[in-house]
Amino acid sequence: MSLGTIAVVSDSEAFGGAELYLSTLLSHLRDEWRFVALLGDLADDETRRRLAEAGAELIIIPGLGRIPHARAIARTVRVLRKLDPGLVHINLSDQGDGLGPLIAARAARKRTVATLHLVIPGRKRWRERISARALQSPETVIAVSGFVKDYARAAGANALSVLNGLDMPEFVTEPRAVLGLAPGDLVVGGIGRLHDQKGWDVFCAAAALVRDDHPESVFVVIGDGPDRARLEQIGAASGVRFLGYHENASALIRAFDVMVAPSRYEACGLVAIETMLAGVPIIAASVGGLPEVVADCGQLVAPERPDLLASAIIELLNDPAARTAHTERGVVRARSVFSPERMAAETNRVYLSNWQSTSSRDAGTRSPAS
């Protein structure tokens, strides 16, 4: 039986890790709460579909986006007042996101929690000051890693960490056939948005070095993004194939012999968790929250170092026993530490603690904790 209504708000246009988190969370708490998702009119179709499948009712708010517009904020305030949820949960893709929804929740006088998914480095001081003030607005900020929690607390937020959790992907039976790869290929792969953050230019530089030692190796990246044209040019010179967007890309991870996550910055790294669940060895840049995820279940290398990345790839390609050891530890760690049930239970405690702090707004309205 549902305890009450929680409004979840996302102003993101793209489907990514933050949206996967939200749909996973709601699917595991759908029997506990009535969720109503407030999305912008440019929200990705996959975001809408996954949230609907997770049991959320959808309300589309025109103009709701990363850049806060007065009309969209006013519309959000009206929706929140009419919906009258006991709690608002705002999904922040990074520390510069969600300003409009945070203003709207405050204007509507709704108790608020927020999940922070990413910390972008090197932002201008004035932007960081605005972000810090925004992060102080929710009653609780849920951080997806210890790294993010430390950042949020330094910004003055009341933050705690709830590590991400993921369901086991439904793996494709013949993923190499889907990607146009031969069964006998030695495949080094990556999955992610084609953006400077993800370090695919570093991956390309490392691939050129690896192919000197392993000319038979095949390097591929699944994903799309603003840097695609530039990266395809780099990839053509280094032997890396960019395969474009595939929905449910995690279902294809088993096409790879080795997965690489060469990010320049990362808060948690859902792809790393998905890789461990798939039983594929991973090499990741030692940045942000990635070391918390990978631990001793893969290899960590310094970012921006294609020479070190190439050496790590060659080492794993030459050592099947090491690949097996990494995958065995990775599966155990992913299933135990990053289970969606644990994430949902910990988040539910955040919901209840904040709801318990809310006095009844109408006569005859009973708190779900009572």
Side-chain angles (χ1 to χ4, degrees):
M1 181 178 177
S2 172
L3 291 176
T5 299
I6 294 177
V8 295
V9 188
S10 171
D11 60 13
S12 175
E13 296 180 10
F15 180 86
E19 293 69 42
L20 176 59
Y21 154 87
L22 195 59
S23 62
T24 302
L25 177 67
L26 268 55
S27 69
H28 284 269
L29 290 177
R30 64 190 302 169
D31 294 331
E32 304 293 326
W33 305 94
R34 173 196 176 212
F35 288 105
V36 180
L38 279 56
L39 306 174
D41 52 337
L42 298 180
D44 189 90
D45 288 342
E46 187 170 358
T47 300
R48 301 184 192 209
R49 178 181 62 77
R50 288 198 183 226
L51 290 176
E53 290 175 352
E57 304 167 37
L58 304 185
I59 295 178
I60 305 302
I61 299 179
L64 181 64
R66 185 180 180 91
I67 299 175
H69 294 290
R71 288 184 179 179
I73 293 173
R75 292 184 186 112
T76 306
V77 172
R78 289 195 295 270
V79 169
L80 289 175
R81 286 176 175 167
K82 182 177 181 181
L83 185 62
D84 196 24
L87 191 65
V88 176
H89 184 171
I90 299 174
N91 207 34
L92 306 177
S93 58
D94 57 67
Q95 79 269 38
D97 188 29
L99 185 58
L102 288 168
I103 293 171
R106 188 176 183 86
R109 298 183 180 181
K110 301 302 177 185
R111 200 161 178 87
T112 305
V113 301
T115 298
L116 180 59
H117 291 274
L118 182 64
V119 176
I120 299 176
R123 298 173 79 235
K124 294 181 179 179
R125 289 184 179 180
W126 67 270
R127 291 185 181 275
E128 281 297 276
R129 286 197 292 268
I130 293 174
S131 296
R133 290 291 299 273
L135 288 173
Q136 294 167 21
S137 175
E139 276 68 29
T140 304
V141 172
I142 300 170
V144 298
S145 66
F147 167 77
V148 176
K149 178 191 71 177
D150 292 343
Y151 169 86
R153 286 186 174 179
N158 176 32
L160 54 81
S161 62
V162 176
L163 297 178
N164 267 323
L166 287 176
D167 291 305
M168 178 70 75
E170 295 183 6
F171 297 108
V172 171
T173 304
E174 296 184 2
R176 292 195 171 190
V178 174
L179 297 175
L181 301 170
D185 284 344
L186 189 62
V187 182
V188 181
I191 295 177
R193 195 162 61 107
L194 303 187
H195 181 275
D196 184 67
Q197 174 203 349
K198 298 299 183 179
W200 299 123
D201 52 338
V202 178
F203 181 74
C204 289
L209 299 174
V210 172
R211 288 169 65 85
D212 289 340
D213 194 84
H214 282 276
E216 80 284 8
S217 58
V218 177
F219 285 76
V220 299
V221 177
I222 300 173
D224 205 348
D227 286 355
R228 181 167 184 175
R230 179 179 69 89
L231 289 170
E232 284 180 335
Q233 286 185 336
I234 298 173
S238 57
V240 177
R241 295 160 55 190
F242 289 89
L243 304 180
Y245 171 81
H246 284 260
E247 189 171 332
N248 295 325
S250 59
L252 303 170
I253 290 176
R254 287 179 175 171
F256 305 155
D257 293 290
V258 174
M259 168 73 86
V260 178
S263 301
R264 290 185 165 90
Y265 54 95
E266 203 74 66
C268 175
L270 291 179
V271 168
I273 301 172
E274 291 170 333
T275 300
M276 292 191 293
L277 286 172
V280 172
I282 185 166
I283 301 170
S286 183
V287 295
L290 275 174
E292 296 178 53
V293 174
V294 175
D296 65 344
C297 302
Q299 291 187 249
L300 295 167
V301 300
E304 306 279 9
R305 290 291 302 272
D307 56 332
L308 297 181
L309 180 57
S311 295
I313 294 171
I314 291 170
E315 182 179 338
L316 275 187
L317 292 181
N318 289 340
D319 192 347
R323 298 204 301 268
T324 299
H326 284 321
T327 59
E328 289 176 349
R329 289 196 299 268
V331 169
V332 172
R333 177 172 174 78
R335 288 180 173 176
S336 58
V337 177
F338 301 105
S339 75
E341 293 82 9
R342 186 269 315 149
M343 177 184 72
E346 292 180 13
T347 305
N348 201 38
R349 287 197 287 271
V350 175
Y351 286 167
L352 289 170
S353 66
N354 279 283
W355 198 300
Q356 287 168 341
S357 300
T358 305
S359 46
S360 296
R361 292 153 294 160
D362 301 297
T365 299
R366 183 175 65 88
S367 165
S370 62

